[in-house]
Amino acid sequence: MADATAAMTMDKGLDHTIIGESRKSWIDGQKGVLEYVGIDIDSLARNSTFEETCFLLLNDRLPTADEFAAFTAELRAHYGLSDSLLTLLRSMPDSASPMHVVRTLVSAIALEDPNCNDTSEGAELEKALRIIAKTPAIIAAFDRQRRGEEIVEADSANSIAVDFLRMLNGEMPGEATARAMDVCLILHADHGINASTFATMVAVGTESDMYSAVTGAIGTLRGPLHGGANERVMRMLEEIPSVDDVEGFIMDRLARKAKVPGFGHRVYKAYDPRATFLRTFSKAIASETGNETLYAMSSAIEAVMEREVGAKGIHPNVDFYSATTYFSMGLAIDLFTPVFAMSRNAGWAAHAMERRADNRLIRPRCQYTGPHGEDWTDPAER
Ligand code: ACO
């Protein structure tokens, strides 16, 4: 039987397929470089804010002072959750995974957006701002609810990083912690066409809307091979009794061919530049908060991995040191991936809008390996 796919190239992980053009982020996996719209991530982490990074990703340039003031005001106008979103949130069981809650609530923002079916650039940008502005409140409110604490309302006087920590903990964060959170949000905001960003592009490719695209992306980020790895890193650290046990634990995993969470990357074969930054952060915050052992354990894991598999290009990725950074900041382990989503909303929205402006339905093929010409048989005869 003629098979149209026979002449096509199989590319299961799409590692060798370019699916379009993008101006958003550039990765040099061999040198360990990441840029957002041409600006090195290191420079953004040192000088920018999450809000400014959002503007940069959504508009392909840095804002003027006036533009930034207007953008921030528009973003802050969308802070907080309506009564209907709060009612939905209150109906979530305390045992729910926060990622399922975030996915459900972000999807539900569409229900109260009068422009939810309008996919014009202006309407899609407003949806992006709504999602970026409301996700911190969703995460904080769910965490407080399950802890039996009163939900803290959003305050548009604060930046996203500050207000998220305030809503979560019920008090204003210290300056150093707030800045650490802001930098973590900058570092996670975009990363080329990773799995979850690709999910947004598949949705937009069908001319579906921003809420549908981001909802799919949140579900995709959750997987342990993607954003879910940061939670797994922390669970692994909790499983290892002491620094002295690291060598045996890691060697055992490698011998069983089990992956060590927080290591390896499809694109980076050099050190992930986000991990370089987060390692320094993790060390400083761990020593400030009495979590030195955690940092020592992470360093020991990195040393064994470097010795055993470093030559294969397997180094710490963004999830490895972000786990200990968030833990030292006092975040519950299952909030690590939701915080990743809170930041990546910016990249998802930016890529979704870029794709919509130059769209093509994404419709790959697979090589059929099943039978042909089989007869239907009566259930009694099977
Ligand atoms: N621990 C041990 N060995 C590893 C690891 C790891 N974390 N990652 C890759 N390897 C090994 C593989 O076993 C394989 O070895 P082999 O050639 O001897 O068979 C080789 O490196 C290549 O690995 P692949 O899985 O083919 O590489 P791929 O590009 O598909 O994997 C991935 C990338 C999925 C991220 C992988 O490194 C992994 O599973 N890491 C752990 C999970 C993780 O940290 N994910 C977060 C990634 S960053 C992000 O998404 C935000």
Side-chain angles (χ1 to χ4, degrees), residues 157-179:
N158 300 317
S159 70
I160 288 199
V162 167
D163 214 45
F164 170 63
L165 292 168
R166 188 191 61 84
M167 287 187 287
L168 191 68
N169 300 323
E171 58 184 25
M172 286 294 276
E175 217 171 288
T177 312
R179 180 64 191 149

Side-chain angles (χ1 to χ4, degrees), residues 98-160:
M99 277 303 268
H100 286 306
V101 174
V102 174
R103 194 193 60 233
T104 305
L105 268 287
V106 165
S107 171
I109 301 172
L111 308 178
E112 56 186 30
D113 182 347
N115 299 320
C116 76
N117 294 323
D118 179 351
T119 54
S120 66
E121 194 182 334
E124 288 286 271
L125 179 61
E126 198 193 300
K127 287 176 206 157
L129 299 189
R130 280 174 185 250
I131 294 170
I132 295 168
K134 292 185 190 306
T135 304
I138 295 169
I139 301 169
F142 177 68
D143 189 56
R144 286 186 75 82
Q145 168 175 296
R146 68 180 178 173
R147 284 189 274 132
E149 307 266 6
E150 280 291 310
I151 290 172
V152 176
E153 275 185 29
D155 181 351
S156 59
N158 300 317
S159 70
I160 288 199

Side-chain angles (χ1 to χ4, degrees), residues 224-226 229 259-260 262-266 312 314 317 319 340:
L225 295 189
H226 193 14
K259 298 261 176 72
V260 177
F263 284 83
H265 199 276
R266 178 59 61 80
K312 278 209 259 180
I314 297 163
N317 58 47
D319 285 322
F340 191 159

Side-chain angles (χ1 to χ4, degrees), residues 26-261:
W26 183 73
I27 305 163
D28 183 336
Q30 299 302 325
K31 293 196 181 127
V33 177
L34 169 62
E35 293 174 353
Y36 295 165
V37 198
I39 305 177
D40 196 280
I41 192 70
D42 193 69
S43 171
L44 288 169
R46 282 177 206 286
N47 303 304
S48 188
T49 59
F50 177 57
E51 284 79 355
E52 190 185 57
T53 300
C54 288
F55 185 101
L56 172 69
L57 287 168
L58 291 166
N59 296 282
D60 296 343
R61 62 181 174 81
L62 290 170
T64 62
D66 286 350
E67 284 171 335
F68 186 57
F71 178 80
T72 308
E74 208 182 331
L75 190 63
R76 292 182 184 188
H78 291 298
Y79 275 14
L81 305 177
S82 64
D83 287 346
S84 57
L85 286 177
L86 277 171
T87 303
L88 178 61
L89 188 124
R90 289 202 172 97
S91 73
M92 303 284 135
D94 291 351
S95 59
S97 149
M99 277 303 268
H100 286 306
V101 174
V102 174
R103 194 193 60 233
T104 305
L105 268 287
V106 165
S107 171
I109 301 172
L111 308 178
E112 56 186 30
D113 182 347
N115 299 320
C116 76
N117 294 323
D118 179 351
T119 54
S120 66
E121 194 182 334
E124 288 286 271
L125 179 61
E126 198 193 300
K127 287 176 206 157
L129 299 189
R130 280 174 185 250
I131 294 170
I132 295 168
K134 292 185 190 306
T135 304
I138 295 169
I139 301 169
F142 177 68
D143 189 56
R144 286 186 75 82
Q145 168 175 296
R146 68 180 178 173
R147 284 189 274 132
E149 307 266 6
E150 280 291 310
I151 290 172
V152 176
E153 275 185 29
D155 181 351
S156 59
N158 300 317
S159 70
I160 288 199
V162 167
D163 214 45
F164 170 63
L165 292 168
R166 188 191 61 84
M167 287 187 287
L168 191 68
N169 300 323
E171 58 184 25
M172 286 294 276
E175 217 171 288
T177 312
R179 180 64 191 149
M181 175 54 72
D182 203 36
V183 173
C184 286
L185 296 179
I186 294 171
L187 293 175
H188 287 83
D190 194 37
H191 206 239
I193 310 304
N194 53 86
S196 53
T197 302
F198 182 60
T200 68
M201 299 176 83
V202 173
V204 165
T206 70
E207 298 188 354
S208 189
D209 66 287
M210 181 69 78
Y211 296 114
S212 305
V214 173
T215 301
I218 296 170
T220 308
L221 183 72
R222 187 170 180 256
L225 295 189
H226 193 14
N230 55 15
E231 296 186 20
R232 300 248 169 157
V233 169
M234 204 58 230
R235 309 245 180 247
M236 171 176 76
L237 287 166
E238 286 188 329
E239 218 182 297
I240 307 175
S242 74
V243 178
D244 293 340
D245 298 300
V246 163
E247 174 85 23
F249 183 93
I250 297 296
M251 292 307 285
D252 173 60
R253 271 194 98 110
L254 293 177
R256 288 187 285 111
K257 295 245 169 237
K259 298 261 176 72
V260 177

Side-chain angles (χ1 to χ4, degrees), residues 296-367:
M297 199 123 69
S298 307
S299 283
I301 294 174
E302 185 182 340
V304 179
M305 288 295 283
E306 207 52 48
R307 188 189 71 213
E308 294 298 320
V309 290
K312 278 209 259 180
I314 297 163
H315 307 287
N317 58 47
V318 69
D319 285 322
F320 190 61
Y321 285 106
S322 67
T324 40
T325 304
Y326 291 147
F327 187 83
S328 299
M329 285 165 101
L331 261 67
I333 296 174
D334 61 2
L335 296 189
F336 295 0
T337 318
V339 170
F340 191 159
M342 187 172 123
S343 159
R344 189 55 65 82
N345 279 331
W348 290 330
H351 282 277
M353 291 178 67
E354 185 178 51
R355 181 75 185 189
R356 194 181 295 284
D358 181 23
N359 193 28
R360 182 166 167 80
L361 176 75
I362 296 174
R363 203 326 185 168
R365 305 283 287 267
C366 66
Q367 198 167 35

